[in-house]
Amino acid sequence: MESQETAKRPIEPNGAVAAQDAEPATKRVKLDDARVPQVQEEPSQPQPQPQAQPQTEDEKPTEQRQDDRDKRRGIAPIRKEYLVVPPSQVAKTAEVVDDDAAEGRTAPGAEGAAGKDGKKKRPKGQNKEREFGIFADAQRLCNSVAWTPEFSPRHCKHGERCNALHDIRKYLKEGRRPDLNVFGGKCPVWETHGKCSSGWRCLFVESHMKEIEHEDGRKELVLTEDPTKIKPEAASSVPPEEESMDARAGVYNVVAPAVKLALSRKKIQHEKSDQYLKWMAKDSELARIHYHKQKDDDDVAKDYAAQYVEPPLKPSEKRRIYFGRETPVLAPLTTQGNLPFRRLCVELGAEITYSEMALGLPLLQGQKADWTLMRAHESEITPPRYTPTGIVDPAYDNSKDLKFGVQITAHAPWIAIKSAETLARYLPHLRVIDLNCGCPIDMVYKSGAGSALLDAPSKLERMIRGMNTVSGDVPVTAKIRMGVRDNHLTAQKLVERLALGAPDIRAVSGAPGCAAITLHGRTRQQRYTKAADWSYIAECAALVKSFNEKADSLQDTIREADERSLPNGGRMYFVGNGDCYSHVDYFNHVDNAKVDSVMVGRGAIIKPWIFEEISAGQYLDKSATERLAYVEKFAKYGMEAWGSDELGLNYTRRFLLEFLSFFHRYVPIGLLEYLPPAMNDRPPAYKGRNELETLLASKNYLDWIKISEMFLGPAPPNFKFQPKHKSNAYENIEAEG
């Protein structure tokens, strides 16, 4: 319980604070009153005064009129006792969030140049070509001894030419920094799984090593294991030397280095894709000729049907999937949507997850970075929750379903099709393969991928058809935006095309086979400058519903399609996306927009327990201690995924800081004057209910590094971090008063 002195302590210019105060656990808040949150205050906090009777604008004091104007400007309604500036100055200290920068866009002239008044402006936009420094051991330990007892090394393939250390004792003494003392000096990976995949490189190695004495008097260093914690599948085999760093307990969809090497050398054959692409080239030419002739003579339209040749392959029967009210979806998030974060969200109630978007061509080239994105945690390969209240698909088997899907993007049909075949072949745990048709990043858009596909419906349809043909039993889905430009919305026509096929060929070729569509309620031009348009999403949802209701008649009279080209027995699911920040938003969209489910993006990074709120049906006022526990879990999950050695630990630190760049934007609902909170409301400068809450709200990335050091130890001297948002890079601007 905090004191009044603590509550009134001013925030430092950089937001830094030192200690952590005890505080109560989660407070559950129901939306009984849309204006006043039902939150019990701590005794030390001043109670809010009853609201007076409504006044006219002229009768209101000047300060109150200023407050009302601030509300209209999108300022977070923080109670006056928590503000560090007078209410009249709130708008000047409110943080301007640039989510376009987080997505890859750089605002022109955003380098912090001087304004007309001569003062230096806050930098905006994205920090391009960010550097994170080099974090490695002072002396490298050879892989031949990295996981073995001291006297039993593996054969070193470099022999005498090897310039790495082979002396374990020398490495532990001189080759790396001393063990860390966080987590009591015990390795989180070993404590959970009974063995550590980082071996001698682990920065907690003293907690899982010992020295044994042999009969001849020699003393040998060995790594220890706890058989009671090792799962049978993890203990069944020892991974080869070259795969030791890739093998992690509880991680699935790990592709062997030999496969990636074969892909890089073009030794992997894509038989299905090659056959289909050869047929598609001929059919596309036939369709092109038909399209141009059709403008001059309507009778020529029949020629296409007469000359149409069936593709050499038919789609395999797809596994049925399900989206419902009880299955909130975590969006594919660039950078932030990594395995540790998805694991945290699943633990908090996310029922469907997606990988970060991977580029199709690097996948086909066997590039390690993109294949690493395809990995899933064991919690993601379990079935999603299934408690349907509407129409039930009798063929859906929840026990065969799973949470994890992958998302790719491509600028050419051959890349998308070959990528789908490759993913289905080498990744055994896939729910769906999702094609990104909405990414607005300039690099992706200008290559013809992402949101550029919104203006290329014919190419997009060919991609979906081809992917559906070669993906085995894995369904294919798409994620789109409303359109490229604000004055030219194309999503409705695109939804119809993905559901039924192009109007002039659907009677011959049937449906493309898209199992689900996710629509983000913004255009590429709009980015995040306006709120998501849920009325437009509702219009598209009604369109999809009409298609599903007529599925049987369409199948018989219009599409004449093989059942294998119809996903989910002819039903296409429709998911909405955009600005979901609470259970109120979620259920409002499901009930009013009539979408099957809602995909949550930024809201989940700012407030991962949004999925817990959806499950509980009420607001949860998480204490600072509970929020810090999520940071601790992320740190542990990161070390389990990437390793507890110098490289893995600072890889975890880098992505933890990316997480905190959104996480700090959460404003506790106990500090708000009224509900519901809005994700796009700008928080003014404020102090929390205790020092820890104030620290977690800091916009200064140097404070984020301090938070990371609580669980990952001191950052190495050469570690660097530049926030994506230039507005958070405080060393580049003068401190504000």
Side-chain angles (χ1 to χ4, degrees), residues 302-358:
K302 301 177 181 178
D303 290 348
Y304 176 76
Q307 300 177 52
Y308 178 78
V309 178
E310 291 285 338
L313 301 170
K314 287 288 187 180
S316 300
E317 185 173 354
K318 304 298 179 184
R319 187 190 323 111
R320 301 293 176 94
I321 59 173
Y322 171 79
F323 289 92
R325 183 184 182 90
E326 73 277 25
T327 60
V329 183
L330 176 64
L333 300 163
T334 302
T335 306
Q336 279 85 6
N338 48 67
L339 187 148
F341 178 74
R342 298 197 311 269
R343 179 181 174 184
L344 176 63
C345 288
V346 168
E347 186 177 307
L348 292 171
E351 296 295 335
I352 307 295
T353 63
Y354 289 89
S355 70
E356 298 179 57
M357 183 188 73

Side-chain angles (χ1 to χ4, degrees), residues 507-680:
V508 177
S509 56
C514 189
I517 293 177
T518 300
L519 174 60
H520 185 175
R522 292 182 172 90
T523 64
R524 178 186 185 269
Q525 179 184 353
Q526 179 183 337
R527 303 294 281 265
Y528 288 101
T529 57
K530 298 178 183 178
D533 189 346
W534 276 92
S535 62
Y536 186 83
I537 294 176
E539 293 175 11
C540 293
L543 190 65
V544 172
K545 183 180 180 181
S546 69
F547 296 152
N548 290 334
E549 290 176 346
K550 300 176 182 178
D552 293 337
S553 60
L554 287 172
Q555 178 180 345
D556 296 336
T557 62
I558 298 179
R559 286 179 287 181
E560 300 178 4
D562 190 292
E563 288 185 359
R564 290 174 294 182
S565 70
L566 300 177
N568 301 305
R571 176 180 182 181
M572 184 173 72
Y573 286 100
F574 189 72
V575 180
N577 173 225
D579 295 345
C580 183
Y581 192 49
S582 69
H583 68 286
V584 175
D585 294 336
Y586 180 87
F587 291 116
N588 177 55
H589 299 327
V590 172
D591 294 335
N592 297 327
K594 304 300 182 182
V595 293
D596 293 303
S597 185
V598 176
M599 179 177 283
V600 186
R602 292 174 299 155
I605 318 175
I606 299 171
K607 187 174 70 172
W609 60 93
I610 184 175
F611 301 106
E612 191 178 357
E613 290 187 342
I614 292 171
S615 178
Q618 58 186 4
Y619 290 104
L620 300 176
D621 186 14
K622 294 287 183 177
S623 66
T625 301
E626 290 173 299
R627 291 165 58 202
L628 188 67
Y630 295 143
V631 177
E632 179 182 359
K633 283 187 175 182
F634 185 99
K636 289 183 177 179
Y637 295 165
M639 284 187 276
E640 289 184 34
W642 298 311
S644 52
D645 58 344
E646 189 72 58
L647 181 63
L649 188 137
N650 284 293
Y651 207 66
T652 298
R653 190 190 308 275
R654 179 251 168 128
F655 285 103
L656 174 58
L657 295 175
E658 302 280 13
F659 172 38
L660 291 174
S661 71
F662 280 81
F663 194 67
H664 84 279
R665 286 163 54 179
Y666 172 72
V667 180
I669 60 174
L671 275 59
L672 298 178
E673 291 183 345
Y674 58 85
L675 295 177
M679 179 166 53
N680 295 323

Side-chain angles (χ1 to χ4, degrees), residues 149-162:
E150 184 179 12
F151 297 159
S152 305
R154 294 172 181 160
H155 172 70
C156 179
K157 60 183 179 181
H158 300 291
E160 296 181 355
R161 296 175 300 158
C162 184

